[in-house]
Amino acid sequence: MPETNTPYALIAEFETAADIMNAAVRVRDAGFRRWDVHTPYPVHGMDDAMGLQNSKVGWFTFFGGMTGFTTGMSMIWWMNKWDYPVVVGGKPLFSPMFAFPVSYELTILLASFGTLFGMLFLNRLPKLYNPLLKSRTFARFSNDRFFITIQCDDPKYSSTETRKLLEDSGGRQIHFVED
Amino acid sequence: MNSRTLSNIDTAVGHGRSARWFCWCLLISALAVIFGFVTVEGAEHATATATTALDSKLAGVSTQIQHEYTLGKQFLYSYLVAFMFFLSLCLGSLFLVILHHLFDAAWSVPTRRMLEHIASLAPVMLGLFLPILIFAPQIYGWMNIDPLGDHALQAKSVLFNRPAWTVVSVMLFCLWWLFSWRLRSHSLDQDKDGAASHTVAMRKWAAGGIFVFAFTLTLAAIYWMKSLQHAWFSTMYGVYYFAGSTWVTLATAYVLALYYKKSGPLKDVVHKRQLHDFGVLLFAFTVFYAYIHFSQYFLIWNAGIPEETFWYVLRETGSWWDVGMLIVFGHFFVPFLCLLRIDAKLSMTVMLPMAAWIWLMHYMDMQFNIMPVLHPTGMSLHIFDVLCFVGIGFVLITVFRRWFAAHPPYPLRDPRLKEAITHHEVKSAPSGIETH
């Protein structure tokens, strides 16, 4: 494929999971940040090989859950104690006891919203267009090939060094895709 | 491998060290019995008087049996608290072994043997149960009152009569012994011949065992803890005890796996993944226990009928209120928040103090369930509490260590062992791979 003026990423193809594991370690150690590994199935140990840190999705979940809990508690407190006080079953106007089931449900609901939308946000999804799919060979990542893609806007990227790194790591069919 | 035959070790009544330790257990139990006879002398005539609590006249039930406090009773109650604590570990381990086979799990293969040993402590537990069996009327007030004068007792008299109580209590141990023995003995046989048929057999025992486990654990919780206040109702009591038991067992399994990894026997087979998965399950059961205990409290609080509330009213008296708060915060919030982060489950500075804290919390939970009957005005720790805990713990830990040393530390030829060892990757990111 001819190289264009606005390259998006460099793609290298690997034949086995072991190959791509070793290559991922080398790319990780070279300090790249905007890169990814594409495999037909989950490869055990790949997170470590890529140097992936704990996902930030957990924070979205946590704050979603906190929001849900406080919403439930304060909503019921406001409605039962303040806005429309009615004594039911001789119970106090507000007690965390009866507010708890609703707060708990809202905790779960908003925590799962936080998880889902946090994940979508962090992954920049939904993405209607991905330049990588322009590559003809790249589609085989869902069949029988393993790929490393390094984006050209990575701070460590250099047109010659990066290609050499991928070549040294055992990558084949190294080519660009344009944006 | 030891040259002794497996059946001897399994039943713990054969020759050798296991038999000697079984005799030790019997001796200690016998000493406890003699001690009990000395201290509760004459107490059997001090009949428990059934008094109706507030409002309960209307409902026509007697909700409280007032106990005369004696040193002998203090001993028996302390003993019961410690016994129920360690029974939790025994049953929790049986559950985890059964669960392993039901799900055809791979990750837990390396840690299965130690759990099999703990589950197989059931016959030792039966030996330790003897003081409770013999002095039951000193502990369980309902055994001393006439069912004809007590509607709640009459209605429950099918189960709540002393012959039934005694027979069923012994049978529970026999069933736990049967299932834990079969599961461990197949596992040990597989170490020798490597036959897959053992795995199939264990799976069958597990499939039947899960039902037997649920019924027997519920009966045990009702008979030995709940019946302290026989008039009370709670359909969640069995699962409540189960939740706490599995929780404390997971914390124990975590520490044991770590200890045996550091000290050698499980060095090559226990990896991050096993500890991580125990940590995740521990977190799940933290929430599950809170869910169950809240549900029990909430339903009783919401209905507000005296036949049920008296149980919690007693536990909100005096310093029992503080113990209740300790359970709300210490049994749930503290472990929940500490274990929330995924990396906390692999941090030794979090997990080791947490495991100790979990032991303390489960012990307080047992106190909260049992002791208010003896000390209705507030919690009071007695030296017997400590002695019974240490005594029972010592016997069980000694037997466990002997067994663990006498057998291979993990199932050597389990078909899933390789998978458990090689796939020891821990996914630090629960979602997929992020591109940034």
Side-chain angles (χ1 to χ4, degrees):
Chain A
M1 183 174 284
E3 294 176 16
T4 62
N5 289 333
T6 53
Y8 171 73
L10 197 57
I11 299 183
E13 186 181 313
F14 298 83
E15 294 224 335
T16 66
D19 288 347
I20 199 161
M21 195 82 126
N22 294 331
V25 170
R26 294 185 67 162
V27 176
R28 175 196 72 191
D29 291 344
F32 286 96
R33 297 187 56 80
R34 301 178 72 83
W35 64 291
D36 209 349
V37 171
H38 307 262
T39 60
Y41 53 85
V43 178
H44 288 286
M46 186 52 86
D47 286 8
D48 279 342
M50 288 181 69
L52 287 183
Q53 296 299 305
N54 194 359
S55 165
K56 291 184 186 66
V57 170
W59 288 106
F60 290 86
T61 313
F62 180 73
F63 285 106
M66 292 286 286
T67 313
F69 188 79
T70 42
T71 305
M73 281 286 168
S74 47
M75 177 182 75
I76 290 170
W77 171 83
W78 184 76
M79 293 193 302
N80 281 20
K81 177 103 180 179
W82 195 255
D83 188 45
Y84 200 87
V86 177
V87 176
V88 179
K91 296 286 188 293
L93 287 174
F94 176 76
S95 160
M97 282 300 140
F98 62 69
F100 205 87
V102 171
S103 311
Y104 165 74
E105 301 292 342
L106 273 171
T107 308
I108 295 170
L109 182 71
L110 294 199
S112 22
F113 282 171
T115 310
L116 176 66
F117 294 113
M119 184 277 291
L120 293 178
F121 169 72
L122 289 174
N123 282 322
R124 305 287 189 269
L125 289 171
K127 202 178 217 170
L128 298 178
Y129 164 77
N130 193 328
L132 291 176
L133 296 175
K134 281 183 182 170
S135 163
R136 279 190 208 146
T137 56
F138 185 69
R140 290 181 78 178
F141 81 86
S142 68
N143 185 16
D144 62 347
R145 284 290 187 276
F146 302 80
F147 293 91
I148 284 183
T149 58
I150 299 179
Q151 284 176 232
C152 300
D153 52 0
D154 190 289
K156 287 266 174 181
Y157 178 82
S158 99
S159 53
T160 51
E161 295 289 311
T162 306
R163 179 181 277 269
K164 191 166 181 305
L165 173 74
L166 288 172
E167 271 168 6
D168 293 349
S169 313
R172 298 183 195 169
Q173 311 261 0
I174 299 172
H175 59 278
F176 283 104
V177 281
E178 62 197 48
D179 201 3
Chain B
M1 255 310 278
N2 210 291
S3 62
R4 281 169 291 153
T5 59
L6 294 170
S7 60
N8 281 345
I9 298 154
D10 288 330
T11 54
V13 291
H15 306 290
R17 285 185 304 191
S18 302
R20 204 163 69 231
W21 279 94
F22 189 68
C23 293
W24 268 107
C25 301
L26 283 178
L27 182 66
I28 289 168
S29 306
L31 283 176
V33 169
I34 292 163
F35 179 80
F37 267 118
V38 173
T39 51
V40 298
E41 178 203 4
E44 59 263 34
H45 300 299
T47 47
T49 49
T51 58
T52 47
L54 274 178
D55 297 320
S56 63
K57 265 183 188 166
L58 289 168
V61 292
S62 64
T63 51
Q64 278 188 349
I65 295 168
Q66 293 207 329
H67 279 260
E68 260 177 56
Y69 179 82
T70 63
L71 207 57
K73 274 191 179 153
Q74 174 66 56
F75 173 77
L76 290 169
Y77 271 75
S78 301
Y79 191 85
L80 182 65
V81 170
F83 181 85
M84 291 310 284
F85 178 92
F86 285 105
L87 184 70
S88 291
L89 293 174
C90 188
L91 293 180
S93 300
L94 180 61
F95 172 71
L96 291 179
V97 173
I98 288 176
L99 208 61
H100 169 93
H101 293 299
L102 284 183
F103 283 94
D104 191 16
W107 71 271
S108 49
V109 170
T111 55
R112 202 182 74 219
R113 181 59 47 78
M114 63 185 199
L115 294 173
E116 285 168 351
H117 286 316
I118 302 176
S120 300
L121 290 168
V124 183
M125 293 303 286
L126 176 59
L128 292 166
F129 187 69
L130 286 178
I132 299 170
L133 195 69
I134 290 163
F135 291 107
Q138 301 297 324
I139 306 172
Y140 304 102
W142 58 265
M143 289 186 183
N144 304 314
I145 56 175
D146 182 7
L148 291 174
D150 186 293
H151 180 68
L153 186 57
Q154 204 181 2
K156 299 176 183 182
S157 60
V158 177
L159 277 178
F160 282 28
N161 63 77
R162 192 156 181 212
W165 185 90
T166 310
V167 171
V168 173
S169 293
V170 174
M171 272 185 60
L172 296 180
F173 287 104
C174 294
L175 283 168
W176 296 329
W177 167 76
L178 174 70
F179 279 89
S180 59
W181 167 57
R182 288 321 300 159
L183 285 167
R184 183 174 69 162
S185 118
H186 274 298
S187 177
L188 290 172
D189 286 348
Q190 196 173 45
D191 284 351
K192 291 184 174 160
D193 57 20
S197 60
H198 292 303
T199 300
V200 176
M202 284 188 280
R203 216 171 276 168
K204 284 179 181 159
W205 279 101
I210 194 71
F211 292 100
V212 173
F213 174 81
F215 278 109
T216 51
L217 179 137
T218 307
L219 273 173
I222 290 174
Y223 259 161
W224 305 336
M225 272 163 68
K226 193 179 162 200
S227 82
L228 290 164
Q229 289 169 287
H230 70 279
W232 191 49
F233 303 88
S234 168
T235 51
M236 313 195 76
Y237 203 74
V239 74
Y240 168 84
Y241 183 68
F242 161 75
S245 296
T246 312
W247 187 62
V248 74
T249 307
L250 286 163
T252 311
Y254 188 101
V255 174
L256 281 178
L258 187 68
Y259 173 74
Y260 284 124
K261 179 181 166 61
K262 298 277 179 203
S263 66
L266 299 180
K267 194 171 153 214
D268 301 321
V269 287
V270 166
H271 297 288
K272 266 182 176 179
R273 171 163 180 204
Q274 276 76 29
L275 297 175
H276 173 262
D277 287 357
F278 273 135
V280 169
L281 276 172
L282 180 65
F283 180 68
F285 269 87
T286 305
V287 180
F288 183 60
Y289 171 87
Y291 176 76
I292 292 300
H293 201 171
F294 176 79
S295 300
Q296 178 176 284
Y297 185 86
F298 179 63
L299 291 177
I300 289 170
W301 180 87
N302 214 25
I305 54 176
E307 292 98 311
E308 294 171 353
T309 48
F310 75 93
W311 197 87
Y312 275 111
V313 168
L314 177 62
R315 280 158 185 80
E316 289 175 7
T317 310
S319 56
W320 289 118
W321 166 266
D322 306 307
V323 176
M325 285 298 117
L326 182 67
I327 287 173
V328 171
F329 289 96
H331 205 299
F332 173 63
F333 276 105
V334 171
F336 177 79
L337 292 173
C338 287
L339 297 174
L340 192 54
R341 277 186 65 96
I342 202 162
D343 46 5
K345 288 146 192 143
L346 286 173
S347 156
M348 297 311 119
T349 46
V350 174
M351 290 306 290
L352 293 179
M354 185 50 66
W357 178 253
I358 283 170
W359 267 49
L360 178 67
M361 282 303 108
H362 189 62
Y363 184 78
M364 294 307 284
D365 191 27
M366 295 296 105
Q367 282 265 343
F368 182 78
N369 273 273
I370 292 167
M371 279 297 186
V373 178
L374 188 67
H375 298 292
T377 50
M379 184 172 172
S380 73
L381 268 182
H382 196 275
I383 184 71
F384 282 160
D385 288 328
V386 182
L387 289 179
C388 290
F389 188 83
V390 173
I392 294 179
F394 175 75
V395 172
L396 295 174
I397 290 169
T398 312
V399 177
F400 168 77
R401 283 171 59 104
R402 300 262 158 170
W403 281 349
F404 192 80
H407 299 289
Y410 56 89
L412 296 176
R413 296 169 77 176
D414 188 286
R416 295 251 181 234
L417 182 64
K418 193 177 168 222
E419 197 180 330
I421 300 171
T422 50
H423 288 193
H424 51 79
E425 177 246 353
V426 175
K427 279 185 82 71
S428 54
S431 68
I433 293 162
E434 291 156 33
T435 51
H436 308 283

